[in-house]
mmCIF file of all heavy atoms in Angstrom:
data_model
loop_
_atom_site.group_PDB
_atom_site.id
_atom_site.type_symbol
_atom_site.label_atom_id
_atom_site.label_comp_id
_atom_site.label_asym_id
_atom_site.label_seq_id
_atom_site.Cartn_x
_atom_site.Cartn_y
_atom_site.Cartn_z
ATOM 1 N N ASN A 48 1.709 6.252 -0.774
ATOM 2 C CA ASN A 48 1.170 4.898 -0.683
ATOM 3 C C ASN A 48 2.185 3.944 -0.051
ATOM 4 O O ASN A 48 1.808 3.076 0.742
ATOM 5 C CB ASN A 48 0.763 4.434 -2.075
ATOM 6 C CG ASN A 48 -0.430 3.525 -2.069
ATOM 7 O OD1 ASN A 48 -0.308 2.376 -2.474
ATOM 8 N ND2 ASN A 48 -1.572 4.011 -1.624
ATOM 9 N N THR A 49 3.449 4.115 -0.370
ATOM 10 C CA THR A 49 4.495 3.271 0.219
ATOM 11 C C THR A 49 4.611 3.527 1.715
ATOM 12 O O THR A 49 4.707 2.584 2.511
ATOM 13 C CB THR A 49 5.843 3.513 -0.488
ATOM 14 O OG1 THR A 49 5.693 3.206 -1.879
ATOM 15 C CG2 THR A 49 6.943 2.669 0.105
ATOM 16 N N LEU A 50 4.578 4.784 2.110
ATOM 17 C CA LEU A 50 4.668 5.099 3.543
ATOM 18 C C LEU A 50 3.416 4.639 4.297
ATOM 19 O O LEU A 50 3.503 4.241 5.460
ATOM 20 C CB LEU A 50 4.928 6.591 3.746
ATOM 21 C CG LEU A 50 6.310 7.066 3.289
ATOM 22 C CD1 LEU A 50 6.446 8.574 3.483
ATOM 23 C CD2 LEU A 50 7.417 6.324 4.011
ATOM 24 N N GLY A 51 2.272 4.666 3.646
ATOM 25 C CA GLY A 51 1.062 4.122 4.257
ATOM 26 C C GLY A 51 1.192 2.629 4.495
ATOM 27 O O GLY A 51 0.766 2.106 5.529
ATOM 28 N N SER A 52 1.794 1.928 3.547
ATOM 29 C CA SER A 52 2.042 0.495 3.730
ATOM 30 C C SER A 52 3.046 0.258 4.850
ATOM 31 O O SER A 52 2.960 -0.738 5.571
ATOM 32 C CB SER A 52 2.570 -0.124 2.436
ATOM 33 O OG SER A 52 1.552 -0.188 1.477
ATOM 34 N N PHE A 53 3.982 1.181 5.002
ATOM 35 C CA PHE A 53 4.947 1.064 6.093
ATOM 36 C C PHE A 53 4.249 1.198 7.452
ATOM 37 O O PHE A 53 4.682 0.584 8.432
ATOM 38 C CB PHE A 53 6.059 2.101 5.931
ATOM 39 C CG PHE A 53 7.201 1.903 6.875
ATOM 40 C CD1 PHE A 53 7.954 0.747 6.839
ATOM 41 C CD2 PHE A 53 7.521 2.884 7.793
ATOM 42 C CE1 PHE A 53 9.006 0.558 7.713
ATOM 43 C CE2 PHE A 53 8.571 2.711 8.672
ATOM 44 C CZ PHE A 53 9.325 1.536 8.634
ATOM 45 N N ALA A 54 3.174 1.978 7.501
ATOM 46 C CA ALA A 54 2.380 2.052 8.740
ATOM 47 C C ALA A 54 1.774 0.681 9.047
ATOM 48 O O ALA A 54 1.743 0.257 10.213
ATOM 49 C CB ALA A 54 1.290 3.112 8.604
ATOM 50 N N ASN A 55 1.287 -0.019 8.024
ATOM 51 C CA ASN A 55 0.778 -1.382 8.229
ATOM 52 C C ASN A 55 1.885 -2.308 8.712
ATOM 53 O O ASN A 55 1.672 -3.158 9.568
ATOM 54 C CB ASN A 55 0.192 -1.946 6.936
ATOM 55 C CG ASN A 55 -1.092 -1.286 6.539
ATOM 56 O OD1 ASN A 55 -1.736 -0.625 7.340
ATOM 57 N ND2 ASN A 55 -1.467 -1.467 5.297
ATOM 58 N N TYR A 56 3.066 -2.156 8.139
ATOM 59 C CA TYR A 56 4.228 -2.943 8.552
ATOM 60 C C TYR A 56 4.474 -2.735 10.055
ATOM 61 O O TYR A 56 4.693 -3.687 10.795
ATOM 62 C CB TYR A 56 5.436 -2.502 7.734
ATOM 63 C CG TYR A 56 6.745 -3.150 8.108
ATOM 64 C CD1 TYR A 56 7.160 -4.316 7.471
ATOM 65 C CD2 TYR A 56 7.582 -2.580 9.062
ATOM 66 C CE1 TYR A 56 8.374 -4.898 7.795
ATOM 67 C CE2 TYR A 56 8.790 -3.160 9.391
ATOM 68 C CZ TYR A 56 9.189 -4.324 8.759
ATOM 69 O OH TYR A 56 10.379 -4.900 9.087
ATOM 70 N N GLY A 57 4.417 -1.481 10.463
ATOM 71 C CA GLY A 57 4.597 -1.175 11.879
ATOM 72 C C GLY A 57 3.524 -1.815 12.754
ATOM 73 O O GLY A 57 3.813 -2.316 13.840
ATOM 74 N N LEU A 58 2.295 -1.792 12.263
ATOM 75 C CA LEU A 58 1.218 -2.466 13.001
ATOM 76 C C LEU A 58 1.533 -3.946 13.170
ATOM 77 O O LEU A 58 1.359 -4.506 14.257
ATOM 78 C CB LEU A 58 -0.119 -2.303 12.275
ATOM 79 C CG LEU A 58 -0.824 -0.972 12.402
ATOM 80 C CD1 LEU A 58 -2.045 -0.937 11.484
ATOM 81 C CD2 LEU A 58 -1.239 -0.716 13.833
ATOM 82 N N GLY A 59 1.988 -4.559 12.106
ATOM 83 C CA GLY A 59 2.316 -5.978 12.179
ATOM 84 C C GLY A 59 3.494 -6.256 13.082
ATOM 85 O O GLY A 59 3.516 -7.241 13.814
ATOM 86 N N ARG A 60 4.447 -5.370 13.060
ATOM 87 C CA ARG A 60 5.680 -5.581 13.825
ATOM 88 C C ARG A 60 5.488 -5.353 15.322
ATOM 89 O O ARG A 60 6.015 -6.088 16.132
ATOM 90 C CB ARG A 60 6.745 -4.641 13.273
ATOM 91 C CG ARG A 60 8.111 -4.784 13.844
ATOM 92 C CD ARG A 60 8.978 -5.634 12.976
ATOM 93 N NE ARG A 60 10.241 -5.880 13.619
ATOM 94 C CZ ARG A 60 11.398 -5.736 13.026
ATOM 95 N NH1 ARG A 60 11.442 -5.353 11.781
ATOM 96 N NH2 ARG A 60 12.494 -6.006 13.657
ATOM 97 N N TRP A 61 4.717 -4.322 15.667
ATOM 98 C CA TRP A 61 4.647 -3.936 17.070
ATOM 99 C C TRP A 61 3.277 -4.082 17.728
ATOM 100 O O TRP A 61 3.190 -4.070 18.947
ATOM 101 C CB TRP A 61 5.134 -2.497 17.226
ATOM 102 C CG TRP A 61 6.582 -2.382 16.898
ATOM 103 C CD1 TRP A 61 7.615 -2.853 17.637
ATOM 104 C CD2 TRP A 61 7.167 -1.776 15.753
ATOM 105 N NE1 TRP A 61 8.811 -2.584 17.013
ATOM 106 C CE2 TRP A 61 8.562 -1.913 15.849
ATOM 107 C CE3 TRP A 61 6.645 -1.130 14.634
ATOM 108 C CZ2 TRP A 61 9.445 -1.436 14.897
ATOM 109 C CZ3 TRP A 61 7.532 -0.657 13.681
ATOM 110 C CH2 TRP A 61 8.913 -0.808 13.822
ATOM 111 N N LEU A 62 2.225 -4.214 16.965
ATOM 112 C CA LEU A 62 0.893 -4.238 17.573
ATOM 113 C C LEU A 62 0.158 -5.561 17.403
ATOM 114 O O LEU A 62 -1.019 -5.651 17.709
ATOM 115 C CB LEU A 62 0.032 -3.105 16.994
ATOM 116 C CG LEU A 62 0.532 -1.701 17.241
ATOM 117 C CD1 LEU A 62 -0.396 -0.684 16.581
ATOM 118 C CD2 LEU A 62 0.630 -1.411 18.725
ATOM 119 N N LEU A 63 0.845 -6.584 16.942
ATOM 120 C CA LEU A 63 0.166 -7.850 16.681
ATOM 121 C C LEU A 63 -0.425 -8.465 17.940
ATOM 122 O O LEU A 63 -1.408 -9.202 17.864
ATOM 123 C CB LEU A 63 1.105 -8.842 15.997
ATOM 124 C CG LEU A 63 0.414 -10.068 15.443
ATOM 125 C CD1 LEU A 63 -0.608 -9.667 14.376
ATOM 126 C CD2 LEU A 63 1.399 -11.047 14.884
ATOM 127 N N HIS A 64 0.112 -8.143 19.092
ATOM 128 C CA HIS A 64 -0.447 -8.719 20.317
ATOM 129 C C HIS A 64 -1.873 -8.220 20.588
ATOM 130 O O HIS A 64 -2.541 -8.748 21.456
ATOM 131 C CB HIS A 64 0.478 -8.502 21.516
ATOM 132 C CG HIS A 64 0.731 -7.066 21.855
ATOM 133 N ND1 HIS A 64 1.664 -6.294 21.205
ATOM 134 C CD2 HIS A 64 0.158 -6.280 22.780
ATOM 135 C CE1 HIS A 64 1.659 -5.088 21.727
ATOM 136 N NE2 HIS A 64 0.767 -5.045 22.680
ATOM 137 N N TYR A 65 -2.364 -7.265 19.801
ATOM 138 C CA TYR A 65 -3.747 -6.797 19.917
ATOM 139 C C TYR A 65 -4.676 -7.488 18.927
ATOM 140 O O TYR A 65 -5.840 -7.139 18.816
ATOM 141 C CB TYR A 65 -3.826 -5.285 19.677
ATOM 142 C CG TYR A 65 -3.155 -4.462 20.738
ATOM 143 C CD1 TYR A 65 -2.037 -3.695 20.435
ATOM 144 C CD2 TYR A 65 -3.637 -4.462 22.041
ATOM 145 C CE1 TYR A 65 -1.423 -2.939 21.397
ATOM 146 C CE2 TYR A 65 -3.017 -3.708 23.020
ATOM 147 C CZ TYR A 65 -1.910 -2.949 22.689
ATOM 148 O OH TYR A 65 -1.303 -2.206 23.653
ATOM 149 N N ARG A 66 -4.188 -8.463 18.188
ATOM 150 C CA ARG A 66 -4.972 -9.064 17.107
ATOM 151 C C ARG A 66 -6.253 -9.742 17.579
ATOM 152 O O ARG A 66 -7.163 -9.935 16.788
ATOM 153 C CB ARG A 66 -4.123 -10.011 16.282
ATOM 154 C CG ARG A 66 -3.835 -11.338 16.937
ATOM 155 C CD ARG A 66 -2.841 -12.127 16.144
ATOM 156 N NE ARG A 66 -3.424 -13.363 15.674
ATOM 157 C CZ ARG A 66 -2.806 -14.203 14.900
ATOM 158 N NH1 ARG A 66 -1.582 -13.956 14.505
ATOM 159 N NH2 ARG A 66 -3.381 -15.307 14.513
ATOM 160 N N ASP A 67 -6.347 -10.093 18.818
ATOM 161 C CA ASP A 67 -7.567 -10.719 19.325
ATOM 162 C C ASP A 67 -8.610 -9.700 19.784
ATOM 163 O O ASP A 67 -9.705 -10.084 20.188
ATOM 164 C CB ASP A 67 -7.227 -11.666 20.479
ATOM 165 C CG ASP A 67 -6.380 -12.838 20.013
ATOM 166 O OD1 ASP A 67 -6.546 -13.256 18.849
ATOM 167 O OD2 ASP A 67 -5.556 -13.333 20.802
ATOM 168 N N ARG A 68 -8.262 -8.441 19.701
ATOM 169 C CA ARG A 68 -9.215 -7.402 20.101
ATOM 170 C C ARG A 68 -10.279 -7.222 19.028
ATOM 171 O O ARG A 68 -10.016 -7.396 17.840
ATOM 172 C CB ARG A 68 -8.493 -6.064 20.321
ATOM 173 C CG ARG A 68 -7.392 -6.110 21.347
ATOM 174 C CD ARG A 68 -7.966 -6.166 22.752
ATOM 175 N NE ARG A 68 -6.952 -6.438 23.735
ATOM 176 C CZ ARG A 68 -6.438 -5.536 24.552
ATOM 177 N NH1 ARG A 68 -6.844 -4.302 24.517
ATOM 178 N NH2 ARG A 68 -5.521 -5.890 25.418
ATOM 179 N N ARG A 69 -11.451 -6.855 19.427
ATOM 180 C CA ARG A 69 -12.574 -6.697 18.510
ATOM 181 C C ARG A 69 -12.321 -5.603 17.473
ATOM 182 O O ARG A 69 -12.760 -5.696 16.328
ATOM 183 C CB ARG A 69 -13.829 -6.392 19.321
ATOM 184 C CG ARG A 69 -15.097 -6.532 18.564
ATOM 185 C CD ARG A 69 -16.275 -6.378 19.450
ATOM 186 N NE ARG A 69 -16.164 -5.110 20.168
ATOM 187 C CZ ARG A 69 -17.049 -4.643 21.016
ATOM 188 N NH1 ARG A 69 -18.123 -5.333 21.271
ATOM 189 N NH2 ARG A 69 -16.879 -3.499 21.616
ATOM 190 N N TRP A 70 -11.613 -4.543 17.830
ATOM 191 C CA TRP A 70 -11.399 -3.419 16.938
ATOM 192 C C TRP A 70 -10.270 -3.651 15.937
ATOM 193 O O TRP A 70 -10.086 -2.873 15.014
ATOM 194 C CB TRP A 70 -11.109 -2.149 17.728
ATOM 195 C CG TRP A 70 -10.024 -2.287 18.754
ATOM 196 C CD1 TRP A 70 -10.195 -2.529 20.080
ATOM 197 C CD2 TRP A 70 -8.606 -2.206 18.550
ATOM 198 N NE1 TRP A 70 -8.972 -2.605 20.716
ATOM 199 C CE2 TRP A 70 -7.984 -2.404 19.793
ATOM 200 C CE3 TRP A 70 -7.801 -1.988 17.445
ATOM 201 C CZ2 TRP A 70 -6.610 -2.393 19.968
ATOM 202 C CZ3 TRP A 70 -6.427 -1.975 17.607
ATOM 203 C CH2 TRP A 70 -5.846 -2.177 18.865
ATOM 204 N N PHE A 71 -9.510 -4.744 16.091
ATOM 205 C CA PHE A 71 -8.393 -5.009 15.178
ATOM 206 C C PHE A 71 -8.937 -5.307 13.791
ATOM 207 O O PHE A 71 -9.843 -6.113 13.620
ATOM 208 C CB PHE A 71 -7.547 -6.174 15.700
ATOM 209 C CG PHE A 71 -6.188 -6.264 15.064
ATOM 210 C CD1 PHE A 71 -5.195 -5.367 15.403
ATOM 211 C CD2 PHE A 71 -5.908 -7.239 14.131
ATOM 212 C CE1 PHE A 71 -3.942 -5.432 14.829
ATOM 213 C CE2 PHE A 71 -4.656 -7.322 13.539
ATOM 214 C CZ PHE A 71 -3.673 -6.418 13.894
ATOM 215 N N TYR A 72 -8.404 -4.650 12.792
ATOM 216 C CA TYR A 72 -8.961 -4.668 11.426
ATOM 217 C C TYR A 72 -8.910 -6.038 10.772
ATOM 218 O O TYR A 72 -9.867 -6.481 10.162
ATOM 219 C CB TYR A 72 -8.225 -3.636 10.572
ATOM 220 C CG TYR A 72 -8.726 -3.514 9.164
ATOM 221 C CD1 TYR A 72 -9.901 -2.811 8.886
ATOM 222 C CD2 TYR A 72 -8.045 -4.093 8.107
ATOM 223 C CE1 TYR A 72 -10.366 -2.693 7.598
ATOM 224 C CE2 TYR A 72 -8.507 -3.968 6.812
ATOM 225 C CZ TYR A 72 -9.667 -3.270 6.568
ATOM 226 O OH TYR A 72 -10.127 -3.144 5.282
ATOM 227 N N PHE A 73 -7.773 -6.718 10.833
ATOM 228 C CA PHE A 73 -7.605 -7.987 10.140
ATOM 229 C C PHE A 73 -8.027 -9.153 11.023
ATOM 230 O O PHE A 73 -7.723 -9.187 12.210
ATOM 231 C CB PHE A 73 -6.148 -8.187 9.710
ATOM 232 C CG PHE A 73 -5.691 -7.182 8.710
ATOM 233 C CD1 PHE A 73 -4.840 -6.156 9.069
ATOM 234 C CD2 PHE A 73 -6.122 -7.253 7.406
ATOM 235 C CE1 PHE A 73 -4.422 -5.222 8.147
ATOM 236 C CE2 PHE A 73 -5.708 -6.322 6.470
ATOM 237 C CZ PHE A 73 -4.857 -5.308 6.843
ATOM 238 N N SER A 74 -8.675 -10.117 10.415
ATOM 239 C CA SER A 74 -9.054 -11.319 11.153
ATOM 240 C C SER A 74 -7.836 -12.236 11.239
ATOM 241 O O SER A 74 -6.891 -12.126 10.462
ATOM 242 C CB SER A 74 -10.201 -12.040 10.446
ATOM 243 O OG SER A 74 -9.758 -12.583 9.213
ATOM 244 N N GLY A 75 -7.888 -13.155 12.177
ATOM 245 C CA GLY A 75 -6.824 -14.142 12.288
ATOM 246 C C GLY A 75 -6.680 -14.955 11.025
ATOM 247 O O GLY A 75 -5.569 -15.319 10.621
ATOM 248 N N GLU A 76 -7.798 -15.200 10.351
ATOM 249 C CA GLU A 76 -7.794 -15.949 9.096
ATOM 250 C C GLU A 76 -7.025 -15.195 8.007
ATOM 251 O O GLU A 76 -6.249 -15.785 7.260
ATOM 252 C CB GLU A 76 -9.243 -16.184 8.662
ATOM 253 C CG GLU A 76 -9.407 -17.141 7.525
ATOM 254 C CD GLU A 76 -10.880 -17.394 7.247
ATOM 255 O OE1 GLU A 76 -11.579 -17.856 8.169
ATOM 256 O OE2 GLU A 76 -11.308 -17.106 6.118
ATOM 257 N N GLN A 77 -7.216 -13.867 7.923
ATOM 258 C CA GLN A 77 -6.502 -13.063 6.930
ATOM 259 C C GLN A 77 -4.998 -13.056 7.211
ATOM 260 O O GLN A 77 -4.185 -13.137 6.293
ATOM 261 C CB GLN A 77 -7.029 -11.627 6.914
ATOM 262 C CG GLN A 77 -8.404 -11.483 6.312
ATOM 263 C CD GLN A 77 -8.929 -10.068 6.469
ATOM 264 O OE1 GLN A 77 -8.932 -9.517 7.564
ATOM 265 N NE2 GLN A 77 -9.368 -9.493 5.364
ATOM 266 N N ILE A 78 -4.639 -12.951 8.478
ATOM 267 C CA ILE A 78 -3.221 -12.947 8.844
ATOM 268 C C ILE A 78 -2.593 -14.298 8.520
ATOM 269 O O ILE A 78 -1.500 -14.372 7.953
ATOM 270 C CB ILE A 78 -3.043 -12.582 10.332
ATOM 271 C CG1 ILE A 78 -3.459 -11.122 10.550
ATOM 272 C CG2 ILE A 78 -1.599 -12.801 10.781
ATOM 273 C CD1 ILE A 78 -3.542 -10.717 11.992
ATOM 274 N N ASP A 79 -3.290 -15.386 8.843
ATOM 275 C CA ASP A 79 -2.780 -16.723 8.534
ATOM 276 C C ASP A 79 -2.602 -16.912 7.033
ATOM 277 O O ASP A 79 -1.617 -17.496 6.579
ATOM 278 C CB ASP A 79 -3.718 -17.801 9.090
ATOM 279 C CG ASP A 79 -3.723 -17.844 10.605
ATOM 280 O OD1 ASP A 79 -2.776 -17.309 11.220
ATOM 281 O OD2 ASP A 79 -4.684 -18.398 11.174
ATOM 282 N N LYS A 80 -3.558 -16.406 6.256
ATOM 283 C CA LYS A 80 -3.474 -16.515 4.800
ATOM 284 C C LYS A 80 -2.249 -15.750 4.285
ATOM 285 O O LYS A 80 -1.512 -16.239 3.429
ATOM 286 C CB LYS A 80 -4.743 -15.973 4.146
ATOM 287 C CG LYS A 80 -4.759 -16.116 2.644
ATOM 288 C CD LYS A 80 -6.057 -15.616 2.055
ATOM 289 C CE LYS A 80 -6.075 -15.779 0.554
ATOM 290 N NZ LYS A 80 -7.327 -15.296 -0.035
ATOM 291 N N GLY A 81 -2.031 -14.556 4.814
ATOM 292 C CA GLY A 81 -0.863 -13.768 4.425
ATOM 293 C C GLY A 81 0.440 -14.463 4.784
ATOM 294 O O GLY A 81 1.397 -14.448 4.009
ATOM 295 N N GLN A 82 0.476 -15.083 5.954
ATOM 296 C CA GLN A 82 1.681 -15.813 6.351
ATOM 297 C C GLN A 82 1.930 -17.008 5.425
ATOM 298 O O GLN A 82 3.071 -17.297 5.071
ATOM 299 C CB GLN A 82 1.572 -16.272 7.805
ATOM 300 C CG GLN A 82 1.742 -15.139 8.789
ATOM 301 C CD GLN A 82 1.591 -15.585 10.225
ATOM 302 O OE1 GLN A 82 0.731 -16.382 10.571
ATOM 303 N NE2 GLN A 82 2.446 -15.053 11.083
ATOM 304 N N ARG A 83 0.868 -17.688 5.017
ATOM 305 C CA ARG A 83 1.025 -18.802 4.075
ATOM 306 C C ARG A 83 1.579 -18.309 2.737
ATOM 307 O O ARG A 83 2.432 -18.956 2.134
ATOM 308 C CB ARG A 83 -0.303 -19.535 3.877
ATOM 309 C CG ARG A 83 -0.667 -20.439 5.035
ATOM 310 C CD ARG A 83 -1.813 -21.375 4.702
ATOM 311 N NE ARG A 83 -3.028 -20.686 4.294
ATOM 312 C CZ ARG A 83 -3.968 -20.239 5.115
ATOM 313 N NH1 ARG A 83 -3.835 -20.408 6.433
ATOM 314 N NH2 ARG A 83 -5.048 -19.642 4.649
ATOM 315 N N TRP A 84 1.084 -17.140 2.278
ATOM 316 C CA TRP A 84 1.606 -16.549 1.038
ATOM 317 C C TRP A 84 3.101 -16.290 1.180
ATOM 318 O O TRP A 84 3.876 -16.568 0.289
ATOM 319 C CB TRP A 84 0.880 -15.243 0.730
ATOM 320 C CG TRP A 84 -0.329 -15.371 -0.123
ATOM 321 C CD1 TRP A 84 -1.406 -16.180 0.086
ATOM 322 C CD2 TRP A 84 -0.581 -14.657 -1.316
ATOM 323 N NE1 TRP A 84 -2.325 -15.991 -0.894
ATOM 324 C CE2 TRP A 84 -1.848 -15.055 -1.778
ATOM 325 C CE3 TRP A 84 0.114 -13.701 -2.043
ATOM 326 C CZ2 TRP A 84 -2.407 -14.547 -2.928
ATOM 327 C CZ3 TRP A 84 -0.449 -13.196 -3.182
ATOM 328 C CH2 TRP A 84 -1.697 -13.625 -3.616
ATOM 329 N N PHE A 85 3.482 -15.706 2.316
ATOM 330 C CA PHE A 85 4.892 -15.410 2.537
ATOM 331 C C PHE A 85 5.728 -16.674 2.559
ATOM 332 O O PHE A 85 6.820 -16.719 2.008
ATOM 333 C CB PHE A 85 5.088 -14.641 3.851
ATOM 334 C CG PHE A 85 5.254 -13.179 3.658
ATOM 335 C CD1 PHE A 85 4.158 -12.341 3.632
ATOM 336 C CD2 PHE A 85 6.498 -12.625 3.481
ATOM 337 C CE1 PHE A 85 4.300 -10.988 3.436
ATOM 338 C CE2 PHE A 85 6.660 -11.269 3.283
ATOM 339 C CZ PHE A 85 5.551 -10.457 3.260
ATOM 340 N N GLN A 86 5.242 -17.693 3.205
ATOM 341 C CA GLN A 86 5.995 -18.942 3.276
ATOM 342 C C GLN A 86 6.103 -19.600 1.904
ATOM 343 O O GLN A 86 7.111 -20.197 1.571
ATOM 344 C CB GLN A 86 5.350 -19.883 4.286
ATOM 345 C CG GLN A 86 5.518 -19.403 5.704
ATOM 346 C CD GLN A 86 4.684 -20.176 6.702
ATOM 347 O OE1 GLN A 86 3.851 -20.985 6.343
ATOM 348 N NE2 GLN A 86 4.909 -19.896 7.979
ATOM 349 N N HIS A 87 5.045 -19.484 1.117
ATOM 350 C CA HIS A 87 5.049 -20.118 -0.203
ATOM 351 C C HIS A 87 5.828 -19.311 -1.243
ATOM 352 O O HIS A 87 6.627 -19.866 -1.993
ATOM 353 C CB HIS A 87 3.612 -20.344 -0.684
ATOM 354 C CG HIS A 87 3.507 -21.090 -1.968
ATOM 355 N ND1 HIS A 87 3.804 -22.428 -2.058
ATOM 356 C CD2 HIS A 87 3.173 -20.684 -3.215
ATOM 357 C CE1 HIS A 87 3.636 -22.825 -3.314
ATOM 358 N NE2 HIS A 87 3.257 -21.789 -4.038
ATOM 359 N N TYR A 88 5.581 -18.012 -1.322
ATOM 360 C CA TYR A 88 6.171 -17.170 -2.369
ATOM 361 C C TYR A 88 7.384 -16.372 -1.911
ATOM 362 O O TYR A 88 8.100 -15.816 -2.737
ATOM 363 C CB TYR A 88 5.124 -16.197 -2.922
ATOM 364 C CG TYR A 88 3.988 -16.905 -3.613
ATOM 365 C CD1 TYR A 88 2.738 -16.984 -3.013
ATOM 366 C CD2 TYR A 88 4.165 -17.494 -4.857
ATOM 367 C CE1 TYR A 88 1.687 -17.635 -3.637
ATOM 368 C CE2 TYR A 88 3.118 -18.142 -5.488
ATOM 369 C CZ TYR A 88 1.883 -18.215 -4.875
ATOM 370 O OH TYR A 88 0.858 -18.863 -5.487
ATOM 371 N N GLY A 89 7.577 -16.245 -0.635
ATOM 372 C CA GLY A 89 8.695 -15.468 -0.133
ATOM 373 C C GLY A 89 8.400 -13.974 -0.150
ATOM 374 O O GLY A 89 7.279 -13.536 -0.403
#
Side-chain angles (χ1 to χ4, degrees):
N48 213 243
T49 301
L50 292 178
S52 289
F53 189 62
N55 290 343
Y56 176 92
L58 283 173
R60 185 97 186 228
W61 294 289
L62 298 178
L63 192 61
H64 61 278
Y65 293 115
R66 75 188 242 176
D67 295 329
R68 302 285 170 104
R69 194 173 54 179
W70 51 263
F71 197 74
Y72 182 78
F73 296 106
S74 68
E76 190 175 301
Q77 288 174 309
I78 293 171
D79 292 342
K80 183 178 181 180
Q82 286 178 319
R83 284 192 302 273
W84 269 54
F85 260 89
Q86 290 170 352
H87 185 71
Y88 296 107

